[in-house]
Amino acid sequence: MPAKEHDDRAARFLAELYPLAGQAARVLNYLSNLPETLSKSDQELAARIGQVSAQHVAIVIRALVAAGFATRREFSAQLTIGQECLTRFSWNLQGVSTYLRSHKDSDTVRLVLTEPGIESALRREINRRGLPPRLFQTRDAFLNLAHAATSTLTVLAPFIDDTGSEFLIDVFSACKPSVRKEIICRPLSEPHCGVAFRKRKEDFHRLAVHVYEYALTSTLPSGRETFHAKVVLVDDTAFYVGSSNFMGSALDRSLECGVIVHGQNAKDLHNVVEALKAVATLTDASSW
C-alpha cells in the first residue's frame, strides 16, 4: 500500500475511534501482542482484555476492516497489517485518551434523538451497525436539563398538543421550587398552541409558569414576526436546540434530532432569549 494511502486510511481510522480512545487503545494493544486472538468472539476478547465491552471490541474490529487493516471471513477477522502498526495506533489513541481527560473545550455538545418507535427499521439498523450507546433520548434530555436548572428554565415551544402539554408539566415539575419557569410560545389564541395549553392551565398556574407570546405584526410577506425554534435553556449554562416540538409525534413517534450544548454558546443564547422576552408579550394568567 502506498505511504500516502496508508496515512490517509490511518487518519480516518483514528478519527473513527476518537470517541472511545481509551478502550480502543486497550483493544489494539492486546491485538498487537496476540494478533491470533482476532479470531475469537467479541465477548471472549472483551473478557480477556478487561475494562472494555464486547461492543467496544466490535467497533474497533469494524474500523480495522473498514480501513483495510483487517479482513473479515464469516464470524472471524484477520489482520492485514503488522503488529508494530497496531502498537503505533494504540499509542496514538492512548495519547488522545490522555488529552481528552485533561482538556475541556469551551463548549461540549451531545446528540439527542427521538426515534420513530422502539421497533423501528431505523433502530434495527442502528443496532446492526453496532453504534455505541451515546445517543440520548429527547424526553430524558429535557428532564435532565430541568433537574439541572438553578435559576431559570426557559422553553421555546411554537407548537403544543395534548401530549406535549402533559410533558411540559412534567418538565416544569422536575425543576427545583425556586427556579423561575418560563415558556415562550405562539399566541394562546391560536389552536396549534392554545387549545392543549388551556386544558392544563391549572397545572401551569400551580407551577407559576410565566408565559410569553411571541407574534408581532411585520412587513414580512407572512405579515408577522414569530418563531419556529425549539429550545430548552437552563440558566445561561446549557441548552437543547433541535427539531423536537412539544407534541406527541416529536416526542415519541418520529425521528427528531437535536443537541445539548454546555458552554459559552449558552450565554450567547441566553442573551438572545432575554431580547426575545423583551419584545414578546408576558401574558396575564387570568387570560389563559
mmCIF file of all heavy atoms in Angstrom, residues 236-261:
data_model
loop_
_atom_site.group_PDB
_atom_site.id
_atom_site.type_symbol
_atom_site.label_atom_id
_atom_site.label_comp_id
_atom_site.label_asym_id
_atom_site.label_seq_id
_atom_site.Cartn_x
_atom_site.Cartn_y
_atom_site.Cartn_z
ATOM 1 N N ASP A 236 -27.871 30.189 32.136
ATOM 2 C CA ASP A 236 -27.082 30.614 30.973
ATOM 3 C C ASP A 236 -25.905 29.652 30.790
ATOM 4 O O ASP A 236 -24.819 30.028 30.353
ATOM 5 C CB ASP A 236 -26.575 32.050 31.135
ATOM 6 C CG ASP A 236 -25.642 32.230 32.324
ATOM 7 O OD1 ASP A 236 -25.504 31.275 33.133
ATOM 8 O OD2 ASP A 236 -25.044 33.316 32.462
ATOM 9 N N THR A 237 -26.161 28.375 31.132
ATOM 10 C CA THR A 237 -25.069 27.400 31.137
ATOM 11 C C THR A 237 -25.232 26.257 30.130
ATOM 12 O O THR A 237 -24.245 25.666 29.700
ATOM 13 C CB THR A 237 -24.916 26.776 32.526
ATOM 14 O OG1 THR A 237 -26.157 26.145 32.904
ATOM 15 C CG2 THR A 237 -24.559 27.844 33.558
ATOM 16 N N ALA A 238 -26.474 25.923 29.769
ATOM 17 C CA ALA A 238 -26.691 24.774 28.884
ATOM 18 C C ALA A 238 -28.025 24.937 28.168
ATOM 19 O O ALA A 238 -28.932 25.633 28.641
ATOM 20 C CB ALA A 238 -26.686 23.467 29.675
ATOM 21 N N PHE A 239 -28.154 24.271 27.018
ATOM 22 C CA PHE A 239 -29.423 24.324 26.302
ATOM 23 C C PHE A 239 -29.547 23.160 25.330
ATOM 24 O O PHE A 239 -28.556 22.576 24.898
ATOM 25 C CB PHE A 239 -29.582 25.645 25.527
ATOM 26 C CG PHE A 239 -28.566 25.867 24.432
ATOM 27 C CD1 PHE A 239 -28.806 25.440 23.122
ATOM 28 C CD2 PHE A 239 -27.362 26.508 24.702
ATOM 29 C CE1 PHE A 239 -27.877 25.654 22.114
ATOM 30 C CE2 PHE A 239 -26.426 26.730 23.695
ATOM 31 C CZ PHE A 239 -26.684 26.301 22.396
ATOM 32 N N TYR A 240 -30.801 22.840 25.033
ATOM 33 C CA TYR A 240 -31.137 21.951 23.914
ATOM 34 C C TYR A 240 -31.613 22.823 22.769
ATOM 35 O O TYR A 240 -32.386 23.766 22.974
ATOM 36 C CB TYR A 240 -32.261 20.984 24.286
ATOM 37 C CG TYR A 240 -32.925 20.341 23.079
ATOM 38 C CD1 TYR A 240 -32.470 19.115 22.572
ATOM 39 C CD2 TYR A 240 -33.999 20.946 22.440
ATOM 40 C CE1 TYR A 240 -33.075 18.535 21.455
ATOM 41 C CE2 TYR A 240 -34.611 20.367 21.322
ATOM 42 C CZ TYR A 240 -34.140 19.167 20.836
ATOM 43 O OH TYR A 240 -34.721 18.600 19.737
ATOM 44 N N VAL A 241 -31.185 22.501 21.556
ATOM 45 C CA VAL A 241 -31.755 23.113 20.361
ATOM 46 C C VAL A 241 -31.879 22.012 19.317
ATOM 47 O O VAL A 241 -30.980 21.186 19.157
ATOM 48 C CB VAL A 241 -30.902 24.295 19.847
ATOM 49 C CG1 VAL A 241 -29.500 23.843 19.451
ATOM 50 C CG2 VAL A 241 -31.584 24.988 18.673
ATOM 51 N N GLY A 242 -33.023 21.960 18.656
ATOM 52 C CA GLY A 242 -33.222 20.896 17.681
ATOM 53 C C GLY A 242 -34.589 20.983 17.040
ATOM 54 O O GLY A 242 -35.243 22.028 17.059
ATOM 55 N N SER A 243 -35.047 19.868 16.512
ATOM 56 C CA SER A 243 -36.282 19.860 15.731
ATOM 57 C C SER A 243 -37.517 19.470 16.531
ATOM 58 O O SER A 243 -38.632 19.541 16.016
ATOM 59 C CB SER A 243 -36.132 18.888 14.552
ATOM 60 O OG SER A 243 -35.956 17.555 15.007
ATOM 61 N N SER A 244 -37.359 19.067 17.781
ATOM 62 C CA SER A 244 -38.464 18.479 18.529
ATOM 63 C C SER A 244 -39.421 19.518 19.117
ATOM 64 O O SER A 244 -39.054 20.312 19.986
ATOM 65 C CB SER A 244 -37.939 17.585 19.660
ATOM 66 O OG SER A 244 -39.010 16.944 20.316
ATOM 67 N N ASN A 245 -40.661 19.510 18.630
ATOM 68 C CA ASN A 245 -41.729 20.280 19.253
ATOM 69 C C ASN A 245 -42.230 19.559 20.502
ATOM 70 O O ASN A 245 -41.929 18.376 20.713
ATOM 71 C CB ASN A 245 -42.905 20.443 18.285
ATOM 72 C CG ASN A 245 -42.649 21.477 17.210
ATOM 73 O OD1 ASN A 245 -42.404 22.644 17.499
ATOM 74 N ND2 ASN A 245 -42.691 21.046 15.958
ATOM 75 N N PHE A 246 -43.037 20.257 21.297
ATOM 76 C CA PHE A 246 -43.718 19.598 22.413
ATOM 77 C C PHE A 246 -45.034 19.030 21.887
ATOM 78 O O PHE A 246 -46.120 19.544 22.158
ATOM 79 C CB PHE A 246 -43.920 20.575 23.569
ATOM 80 C CG PHE A 246 -42.726 20.653 24.476
ATOM 81 C CD1 PHE A 246 -41.641 21.450 24.145
ATOM 82 C CD2 PHE A 246 -42.658 19.904 25.640
ATOM 83 C CE1 PHE A 246 -40.531 21.509 24.966
ATOM 84 C CE2 PHE A 246 -41.550 19.956 26.466
ATOM 85 C CZ PHE A 246 -40.472 20.748 26.129
ATOM 86 N N MET A 247 -44.879 17.968 21.106
ATOM 87 C CA MET A 247 -46.006 17.273 20.500
ATOM 88 C C MET A 247 -45.732 15.778 20.549
ATOM 89 O O MET A 247 -44.563 15.349 20.551
ATOM 90 C CB MET A 247 -46.217 17.728 19.052
ATOM 91 C CG MET A 247 -46.451 19.227 18.906
ATOM 92 S SD MET A 247 -46.659 19.755 17.194
ATOM 93 C CE MET A 247 -48.273 19.069 16.829
ATOM 94 N N GLY A 248 -46.788 14.969 20.593
ATOM 95 C CA GLY A 248 -46.618 13.529 20.689
ATOM 96 C C GLY A 248 -45.791 12.955 19.562
ATOM 97 O O GLY A 248 -44.956 12.075 19.768
ATOM 98 N N SER A 249 -45.990 13.450 18.350
ATOM 99 C CA SER A 249 -45.230 12.922 17.215
ATOM 100 C C SER A 249 -43.743 13.170 17.387
ATOM 101 O O SER A 249 -42.910 12.302 17.094
ATOM 102 C CB SER A 249 -45.715 13.567 15.909
ATOM 103 O OG SER A 249 -45.595 14.992 15.984
ATOM 104 N N ALA A 250 -43.381 14.357 17.884
ATOM 105 C CA ALA A 250 -41.973 14.712 18.031
ATOM 106 C C ALA A 250 -41.320 14.043 19.235
ATOM 107 O O ALA A 250 -40.121 13.761 19.221
ATOM 108 C CB ALA A 250 -41.823 16.228 18.152
ATOM 109 N N LEU A 251 -42.106 13.783 20.269
ATOM 110 C CA LEU A 251 -41.547 13.206 21.486
ATOM 111 C C LEU A 251 -41.473 11.690 21.452
ATOM 112 O O LEU A 251 -40.672 11.085 22.157
ATOM 113 C CB LEU A 251 -42.376 13.642 22.699
ATOM 114 C CG LEU A 251 -42.322 15.136 23.036
ATOM 115 C CD1 LEU A 251 -43.408 15.488 24.039
ATOM 116 C CD2 LEU A 251 -40.945 15.525 23.564
ATOM 117 N N ASP A 252 -42.303 11.054 20.624
ATOM 118 C CA ASP A 252 -42.407 9.595 20.698
ATOM 119 C C ASP A 252 -42.386 8.855 19.364
ATOM 120 O O ASP A 252 -42.033 7.682 19.330
ATOM 121 C CB ASP A 252 -43.711 9.199 21.418
ATOM 122 C CG ASP A 252 -43.768 9.721 22.842
ATOM 123 O OD1 ASP A 252 -42.772 9.571 23.565
ATOM 124 O OD2 ASP A 252 -44.808 10.295 23.209
ATOM 125 N N ARG A 253 -42.789 9.509 18.262
ATOM 126 C CA ARG A 253 -43.104 8.720 17.083
ATOM 127 C C ARG A 253 -42.312 9.033 15.827
ATOM 128 O O ARG A 253 -42.321 8.235 14.897
ATOM 129 C CB ARG A 253 -44.604 8.864 16.754
ATOM 130 C CG ARG A 253 -45.520 8.411 17.874
ATOM 131 C CD ARG A 253 -46.953 8.328 17.398
ATOM 132 N NE ARG A 253 -47.466 9.596 16.939
ATOM 133 C CZ ARG A 253 -48.039 10.512 17.730
ATOM 134 N NH1 ARG A 253 -48.105 10.303 19.031
ATOM 135 N NH2 ARG A 253 -48.522 11.628 17.231
ATOM 136 N N SER A 254 -41.648 10.153 15.737
ATOM 137 C CA SER A 254 -40.910 10.470 14.517
ATOM 138 C C SER A 254 -39.450 10.744 14.852
ATOM 139 O O SER A 254 -39.103 11.043 15.999
ATOM 140 C CB SER A 254 -41.523 11.693 13.815
ATOM 141 O OG SER A 254 -41.367 12.856 14.609
ATOM 142 N N LEU A 255 -38.602 10.617 13.846
ATOM 143 C CA LEU A 255 -37.183 10.907 14.054
ATOM 144 C C LEU A 255 -37.003 12.410 14.249
ATOM 145 O O LEU A 255 -37.351 13.207 13.382
ATOM 146 C CB LEU A 255 -36.352 10.439 12.862
ATOM 147 C CG LEU A 255 -34.861 10.839 12.907
ATOM 148 C CD1 LEU A 255 -34.168 10.202 14.095
ATOM 149 C CD2 LEU A 255 -34.165 10.482 11.614
ATOM 150 N N GLU A 256 -36.469 12.783 15.399
ATOM 151 C CA GLU A 256 -36.120 14.173 15.694
ATOM 152 C C GLU A 256 -34.666 14.210 16.137
ATOM 153 O O GLU A 256 -34.192 13.298 16.812
ATOM 154 C CB GLU A 256 -37.009 14.745 16.804
ATOM 155 C CG GLU A 256 -38.502 14.647 16.562
ATOM 156 C CD GLU A 256 -39.018 15.623 15.528
ATOM 157 O OE1 GLU A 256 -38.273 16.563 15.168
ATOM 158 O OE2 GLU A 256 -40.170 15.450 15.088
ATOM 159 N N CYS A 257 -33.962 15.247 15.739
ATOM 160 C CA CYS A 257 -32.542 15.377 16.094
ATOM 161 C C CYS A 257 -32.290 16.731 16.738
ATOM 162 O O CYS A 257 -32.891 17.738 16.355
ATOM 163 C CB CYS A 257 -31.654 15.251 14.867
ATOM 164 S SG CYS A 257 -31.661 13.626 14.092
ATOM 165 N N GLY A 258 -31.421 16.738 17.703
ATOM 166 C CA GLY A 258 -31.006 17.981 18.331
ATOM 167 C C GLY A 258 -29.711 17.771 19.074
ATOM 168 O O GLY A 258 -29.132 16.677 19.045
ATOM 169 N N VAL A 259 -29.243 18.808 19.739
ATOM 170 C CA VAL A 259 -28.012 18.704 20.526
ATOM 171 C C VAL A 259 -28.214 19.422 21.855
ATOM 172 O O VAL A 259 -28.996 20.369 21.961
ATOM 173 C CB VAL A 259 -26.792 19.313 19.798
ATOM 174 C CG1 VAL A 259 -26.398 18.475 18.594
ATOM 175 C CG2 VAL A 259 -27.052 20.759 19.376
ATOM 176 N N ILE A 260 -27.512 18.926 22.865
ATOM 177 C CA ILE A 260 -27.388 19.645 24.134
ATOM 178 C C ILE A 260 -26.004 20.281 24.148
ATOM 179 O O ILE A 260 -24.994 19.607 23.898
ATOM 180 C CB ILE A 260 -27.546 18.707 25.336
ATOM 181 C CG1 ILE A 260 -28.978 18.174 25.410
ATOM 182 C CG2 ILE A 260 -27.209 19.444 26.632
ATOM 183 C CD1 ILE A 260 -29.202 17.198 26.537
ATOM 184 N N VAL A 261 -25.958 21.568 24.439
ATOM 185 C CA VAL A 261 -24.701 22.323 24.417
ATOM 186 C C VAL A 261 -24.452 22.917 25.799
ATOM 187 O O VAL A 261 -25.361 23.523 26.390
ATOM 188 C CB VAL A 261 -24.747 23.453 23.361
ATOM 189 C CG1 VAL A 261 -23.438 24.243 23.357
ATOM 190 C CG2 VAL A 261 -25.032 22.881 21.975
#
